[in-house]
Amino acid sequence: MTWRSPGNRISHEYPGRVRAILRSVGELSITAGVIMLLFCAYLLWGTSAYTQRQQLLLQQQLAEESATPAQPAADGKIPKISLGKAMALLRIPKLGRDYRYAVVEGVETDHLKKGPGHYPGTALPGQVGNFVVSGHRTTYSAPFNRIDELKRDDEIVVEAREARYTYRVTSQDIVEPNEIEIIAPVPGKPDISPIRSYITLSTCHPEYSAAQRLIVYGVLKETEERKV
Amino acid sequence: MYGWLWRKLPAPLGKRLLTAAVLAAIAAAVLWYAVFPLLEPAVTLDEVTVRR
């Protein structure tokens, strides 16, 4: 054997260098994997911290507002809710006694990070038309994670400043992301003008995907005026 | 890479382990609080609205 001879020194050291490179590649790959796992954990749990902080503030805002009755502005109209502000409290008894989220006005990314968002321009709670609310299913506290469990006649309670509105679930559907007919004043029937008050909840479907949307429909069952 | 880092850490085993743990915690915290919030908007696994 001549592997110790000076002529073969390079081929003697070469395997060591290859090993070092391979080890580094391996270490980097494992590191990348660990970072990706950590990122998944962040998406599922880290983002919730922000939502929970915001919800505390928003629910506080709602509590303060409900202490003072809505004052119509000088022109007699109730002032419009500004984007990003809390507009009502959503409770779904089926999903737990403590299930309550402040609904934010607006459905842009920044609004939905704070909680379920109301589509501006769709009906307000209790109004004739369609009260449409979207919420995250997996990230940012995942308020609508379990709305697939809602069955016919389950209650969705919306506590607005002036009254408590109880809707009952009528049906559930899975639609494509571009089916905006579901937010029409009569859900799914954009050509008809409404005579009833509807509620429509939307979230992503299947879970962890942006492929489709899960929709829960409801109709107003009961209105209980808030005593001032 | 990690072997080189390990050899750079201060000598007694206990101190080495502690320094390594602190470094790992710092790296994780920087990722969690600074890097991930920047990356998060690019991930669209939770699109909830309908729009054209």
Side-chain angles (χ1 to χ4, degrees), chain A residues 153-170:
Chain A
D153 292 337
D154 283 339
E155 287 185 346
I156 301 172
V157 182
V158 179
E159 292 181 4
R161 204 171 179 181
E162 69 286 352
R164 170 188 295 152
Y165 303 101
T166 306
Y167 295 85
R168 67 175 177 82
V169 172
T170 50

Side-chain angles (χ1 to χ4, degrees), chain B residues 12-38:
Chain B
L13 182 65
K15 213 169 166 188
R16 248 183 203 178
L17 282 173
L18 188 70
T19 322
V22 168
L23 285 178
I26 290 173
V30 167
L31 286 171
W32 192 274
Y33 292 106
V35 180
F36 290 167
L38 294 177

Side-chain angles (χ1 to χ4, degrees), chain A residues 189-210:
Chain A
K189 301 188 176 72
D191 303 327
I192 298 177
S193 61
I195 52 166
R196 301 178 77 178
S197 306
Y198 300 95
I199 189 169
T200 299
L201 308 181
S202 87
T203 192
C204 62
H205 184 86
E207 245 177 292
Y208 310 105
S209 162

Side-chain angles (χ1 to χ4, degrees), chain A residues 138-158:
Chain A
T138 46
T139 57
Y140 289 99
S141 216
F144 283 3
N145 181 255
R146 290 170 56 207
I147 62 167
D148 58 319
E149 293 172 24
L150 293 178
K151 298 275 179 303
R152 200 182 159 83
D153 292 337
D154 283 339
E155 287 185 346
I156 301 172
V157 182
V158 179

Side-chain angles (χ1 to χ4, degrees), chain A residues 49-70:
Chain A
Y50 175 81
T51 307
Q52 274 152 20
R53 273 200 310 276
Q54 293 294 323
Q55 280 289 317
L56 264 179
L57 294 174
L58 293 169
Q59 293 190 17
Q60 209 176 333
Q61 179 209 327
L62 284 176
E64 278 165 19
E65 281 180 4
S66 66
T68 56

Side-chain angles (χ1 to χ4, degrees), chain A residues 78-115:
Chain A
I78 290 173
K80 247 181 108 179
I81 305 133
S82 40
L83 291 173
K85 284 267 162 40
M87 52 106 56
L89 193 71
L90 179 72
R91 292 198 298 117
I92 304 181
K94 173 93 178 271
L95 302 185
R97 273 166 55 99
D98 298 330
Y99 184 100
R100 58 185 65 226
Y101 280 95
V103 178
V104 171
E105 179 72 0
V107 288
E108 298 306 319
T109 311
D110 286 346
H111 307 137
L112 292 172
K113 281 181 179 179
K114 296 181 179 179

Side-chain angles (χ1 to χ4, degrees), chain A residues 8-51:
Chain A
N8 270 351
R9 271 196 71 167
I10 293 174
S11 62
H12 169 61
E13 284 181 356
Y14 193 63
R17 196 164 296 167
V18 168
R19 189 178 298 151
I21 292 170
L22 283 179
R23 186 191 295 128
S24 293
V25 169
E27 285 176 350
L28 284 174
S29 305
I30 291 170
T31 308
V34 170
I35 290 175
M36 282 178 206
L37 276 179
L38 195 64
F39 185 51
C40 290
Y42 172 80
L43 288 175
L44 293 183
W45 300 298
T47 53
S48 298
Y50 175 81
T51 307

